[in-house]
Amino acid sequence: EVDLEERLGELDLRSDLDVPDVPPPIDSTPEIFKRALSGLSARWKNWWIRGILTLAMISVFFLIIYLGSFMLMLLVLSIQVKCFHEIITIGYRVYHSYDLPWFRSLSWYFLLCVNYFFYGETVADYFATFVQRREQLQFLIRYHRFISFALYLTGFCMFVLSLVKKHYRLQFYMFAWTHVTLLITVTQSHLVIQNLFEGMIWFLVPISSVICNDITAYIFGFFFGRTPLIKLSPKKTWEGFIGGFFSTVVFGFIFSYFLAQHQYFVCPVEYNSETNRFVTECEPSELFQIKKYSVPPLLQPVLGWETVNMYPFQMHSIALSTFASLIGPFGGFFASGFKRAFKIKDFADTIPGHGGIMDRFDCQYLMATFVHVYITSFIRGPNPSKLLKQLLILQPEQQLSVYKTLKSHLVEKGILQPSLR
């Protein structure tokens, strides 16, 4: 114990601000790419590596879409865990020489707690009929929030017990680091899944718009970029930013037209307890039914049309694409500032030419919040299916009370006759 105290005392002589640099990431480019592109300049070599792996990732993404909603949820969860790992690893590499106890263990414990809370809320909202049939799950759902709080409180007490004399400030830095990382990753991924339950189109259009903006802004910037956009990210140019904006709006408009034609993409994702499967079958709402719109007089001579037939959702896609191309990149700028603060190029070296998973999804998290707020503000109305599921898990006397209240209300409205039993 004396040796430990002396060691900690020597470490305490260092300032909290005197932190070591993060080691540079290892080049993970496959050897086959290095040999095939050995004759090219570094600029064009990076172009081809990014392009090939982008096409590969898009292909895998389409395959997962084909496999259905559940696989998309697993994909979101996997990305969330990997992004959390990359950010926490940076903190661990910076501060590991201080021998802070339990930092990594507690970070992963808090990740488990927060996921338990959010996914438990999702199960309670969307799997009510499934839960109703299993008594052990009923207990977990009924006391879900208390259990979640107890789990978090355990981690909180463990953190307090791990505090080391004269390292308090640094340990609280890392405590805040973990919680901000949870806010960025877990909360946003939960919103992504909430958007998915509204209909796969609310998941695909925003995510595809961000991907389109990343690709087209890179292409326009690569070939035409001359004017720097922001100091935080020197490679970003105004030409790429503007080119990405127009390309993304056009892409979102056309892509929405294609998706709106299919029930698989527009119907809310619901769990069928009889088949134990997710289903996407419904009568499409007015958002996904063709309507006739008048073309503004100024555009009529240009387009040659007075009216145009389109889906109302395509108008919403313009708002989504605009946010993805004008505001979404600020998520990337935020990430660039974070990386500059710790003198690193990328969050990790998971994807050659791209960096880490977080490097590719830094804009998606900001987009997820916007879509969720947009749906709750302008789209979502009362959900009869969700309300019915909640009624079915009530006690019989509570269901009878709801029935009597509803019947009395319908009689007052003149929808039901007073004599109806």
Side-chain angles (χ1 to χ4, degrees), residues 173-321:
Y173 284 163
M174 301 314 300
F175 185 76
W177 182 302
T178 299
H179 282 67
V180 171
T181 304
L182 291 172
L183 177 65
I184 294 173
T185 56
V186 182
T187 306
Q188 306 305 315
S189 64
H190 174 70
L191 295 181
V192 170
I193 292 178
Q194 293 290 309
N195 298 340
L196 176 60
F197 275 109
E198 295 295 328
M200 203 176 292
I201 196 169
W202 291 104
F203 174 87
L204 293 177
V205 170
I207 285 180
S208 299
S209 295
V210 172
I211 294 173
C212 175
N213 186 69
D214 281 345
I215 294 173
T216 54
Y218 177 76
I219 292 174
F220 276 96
F222 186 87
F223 288 105
F224 309 109
R226 297 291 183 273
T227 312
L229 176 63
I230 187 170
K231 290 182 179 180
L232 280 174
S233 190
K235 293 184 179 181
K236 298 291 192 299
T237 63
W238 275 104
E239 291 80 3
F241 186 75
I242 296 171
F245 165 69
F246 287 106
S247 301
T248 302
V249 172
V250 172
F251 166 81
F253 193 81
I254 297 174
F255 190 50
S256 299
Y257 179 81
F258 169 75
L259 295 181
Q261 300 177 47
H262 305 278
Q263 278 192 7
Y264 181 73
F265 297 114
V266 303
C267 290
V269 177
E270 297 183 350
Y271 178 76
N272 189 322
S273 58
E274 296 180 358
T275 60
N276 288 329
R277 294 178 59 188
F278 287 101
V279 295
T280 50
E281 298 175 356
C282 68
E283 182 66 29
S285 67
E286 293 184 357
L287 279 178
F288 308 108
Q289 296 179 9
I290 287 286
K291 290 187 178 182
K292 182 178 291 187
Y293 292 89
S294 299
V295 177
L298 292 176
L299 296 179
Q300 290 182 8
V302 179
L303 299 176
W305 304 326
E306 293 185 358
T307 60
V308 62
N309 293 326
M310 55 183 288
Y311 293 99
F313 180 81
Q314 289 179 270
M315 302 298 292
H316 294 290
S317 75
I318 295 176
L320 299 178
S321 300

